[in-house]
């Protein structure tokens, strides 16, 4: 079990998921502090810190996605942003060159609708408490709630191959694309 | 569908990525996935603190 150190106290208390609150970010209502979202090695391969400072901390609103901010009791501990998206194949990849030509063309005609999690940021002090799982649960619940017509098929997000292999697949059963680069798409069906 | 959520973006995947996802969607949902989805809707209803993401 994970325990949290109370600020200014020596005792520890267990992490309580009932203390989590997810709120749609409103820059007029929510004033969040500067939070460190970088990896422990100081890197920020998914540009989470830049996104937070621009769109949450400074409140710029020139994006279309919906941003949620997360509180743990009285502390702001993270955020994520979501958007509906349509998945296509790159047209350049559709030049018939294999026996699966018909299959490829069929797939290219109808886009797949998905809930895209554009950014996820968790305060570096609150990692290892499984908060990522609760974000995944919330997003999967959200999309089921708005998906009465079953048109949205997936939750999808870009992450590092390392996180996909170590966390999102083994802990939360998110599959991921087999690209050879550092970043992959993680995905899970919602219907 | 929610007034907050309408498609805003398109993602163009590599063909093998798209095929992988399409083939995954062709498979039937398994009990572990169904359990996660059931847990998700309960968690969402309990933890949403805004009414403006309702549909």
């Amino acid at each position: 079990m994970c325990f949290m150190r109370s600020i200014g106290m020596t005792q520890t208390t267990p992490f309580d998921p009932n203390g989590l609150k997810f709120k749609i970010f409103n820059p007029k209502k929510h004033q969040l502090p500067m939070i460190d979202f970088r990896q422990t090695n100081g890197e920020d391969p998914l540009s989470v810190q830049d996104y937070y400072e621009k769109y949450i901390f400074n409140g710029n609103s020139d994006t279309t996605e919906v941003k949620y901010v997360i509180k743990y009791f009285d502390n702001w501990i993270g955020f994520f942003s979501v958007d509906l998206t349509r998945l296509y194949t790159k047209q350049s990849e559709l030049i018939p060159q294999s026996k699966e030509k018909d299959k490829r063309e069929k797939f290219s005609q109808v886009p797949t609708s998905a809930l895209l999690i554009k950014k996820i940021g968790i305060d570096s002090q609150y990692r290892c408490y499984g908060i990522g799982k609760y974000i995944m649960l919330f997003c999967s619940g959200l999309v089921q709630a708005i998906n009465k017509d079953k048109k949205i098929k997936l939750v999808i997000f870009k992450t590092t191959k390392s996180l996909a292999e170590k966390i999102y697949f083994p802990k939360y059963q998110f599959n991921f694309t087999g690209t050879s680069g550092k970043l992959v798409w993680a995905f899970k069906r919602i219907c | 569908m929610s007034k907050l959520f309408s498609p805003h973006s398109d993602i163009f995947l590599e063909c093998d990525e798209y095929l992988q996802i399409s083939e995954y969607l062709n498979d039937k949902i398994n009990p572990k996935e169904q359990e996660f989805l059931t847990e998700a809707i309960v968690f969402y209803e309990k933890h949403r603190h805004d009414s403006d993401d309702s549909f």
Side-chain angles (χ1 to χ4, degrees):
Chain A
M1 180 183 289
C2 280
F3 289 86
M4 305 205 71
R5 191 173 56 216
S6 302
I7 295 171
M9 301 173 72
T10 53
Q11 68 190 60
T12 56
T13 53
F15 181 78
D16 177 7
N18 291 321
L20 291 170
K21 294 174 187 167
F22 298 77
K23 297 169 177 285
I24 293 176
F25 176 60
N26 179 344
K28 293 175 182 170
K29 269 172 63 178
H30 303 131
Q31 299 295 316
L32 274 72
M34 182 57 76
I35 299 173
D36 185 3
F37 292 105
R38 292 168 299 172
Q39 294 182 345
T40 48
N41 62 8
E43 292 182 0
D44 186 23
L46 296 163
S47 302
V48 175
Q49 190 71 36
D50 288 346
Y51 184 95
Y52 175 78
E53 290 180 16
K54 187 173 181 182
Y55 297 112
I56 308 286
F57 185 72
N58 288 318
N60 291 350
S61 57
D62 55 335
T63 57
T64 54
E65 64 266 23
V66 178
K67 302 167 200 72
Y68 281 86
V69 286
I70 307 169
K71 251 187 171 181
Y72 182 64
F73 292 104
D74 294 328
N75 298 320
W76 294 107
I77 64 163
F79 77 97
F80 58 92
S81 61
V82 292
D83 197 8
L84 286 188
T85 193
R86 291 168 294 229
L87 307 179
Y88 296 86
T89 56
K90 289 181 180 173
Q91 291 301 311
S92 59
E93 298 288 328
L94 297 174
I95 300 167
Q97 50 188 309
S98 76
K99 292 177 183 175
E100 293 189 308
K101 175 188 167 189
D102 291 343
K103 197 176 180 183
R104 285 168 187 261
E105 288 182 343
K106 181 184 167 192
F107 285 148
S108 73
Q109 289 167 358
V110 182
T112 301
S113 295
L115 184 81
L116 170 68
I117 306 177
K118 291 192 84 164
K119 297 287 178 191
I120 301 173
I122 299 169
D123 186 335
S124 56
Q125 297 179 70
Y126 283 83
R127 289 177 195 154
C128 104
Y129 299 109
I131 294 167
K133 177 185 178 181
Y134 300 117
I135 293 174
M136 295 301 144
L137 283 173
F138 187 88
C139 289
S140 299
L142 165 67
V143 76
Q144 289 180 86
I146 66 171
N147 195 31
K148 298 303 181 193
D149 56 6
K150 307 281 185 190
K151 285 185 178 172
I152 308 168
K153 304 295 183 190
L154 290 167
V155 172
I156 189 167
F157 58 97
K158 189 167 265 189
T159 187
T160 63
K161 194 172 186 178
S162 172
L163 280 173
E165 288 175 337
K166 291 176 184 170
I167 296 180
Y168 292 115
F169 179 69
K171 288 191 175 180
Y172 315 140
Q173 296 85 49
F174 270 77
N175 289 270
F176 57 96
T177 54
T179 53
S180 56
K182 191 175 180 183
L183 301 181
V184 299
W185 288 105
F187 55 92
K188 189 182 185 87
R189 83 179 96 230
I190 53 90
C191 63
Chain B
M1 190 168 288
S2 168
K3 61 188 176 186
L4 276 177
F5 294 98
S6 55
H8 289 114
S9 61
D10 296 327
I11 294 174
F12 293 90
L13 300 168
E14 299 295 337
C15 195
D16 57 344
E17 293 176 326
Y18 192 86
L19 284 171
Q20 183 185 348
I21 291 172
S22 296
E23 286 171 3
Y24 163 76
L25 286 173
N26 285 338
D27 292 337
K28 285 189 175 176
I29 196 163
N30 66 47
K32 207 165 185 178
E33 289 174 320
Q34 187 57 58
E35 187 182 329
F36 181 89
L37 291 175
T38 302
E39 187 182 356
I41 196 75
V42 171
F43 184 87
Y44 170 73
E45 291 298 338
K46 187 173 179 182
H47 288 268
R48 55 192 286 257
H49 283 262
D50 291 284
S51 58
D52 48 355
D53 61 345
S54 61
F55 45 93

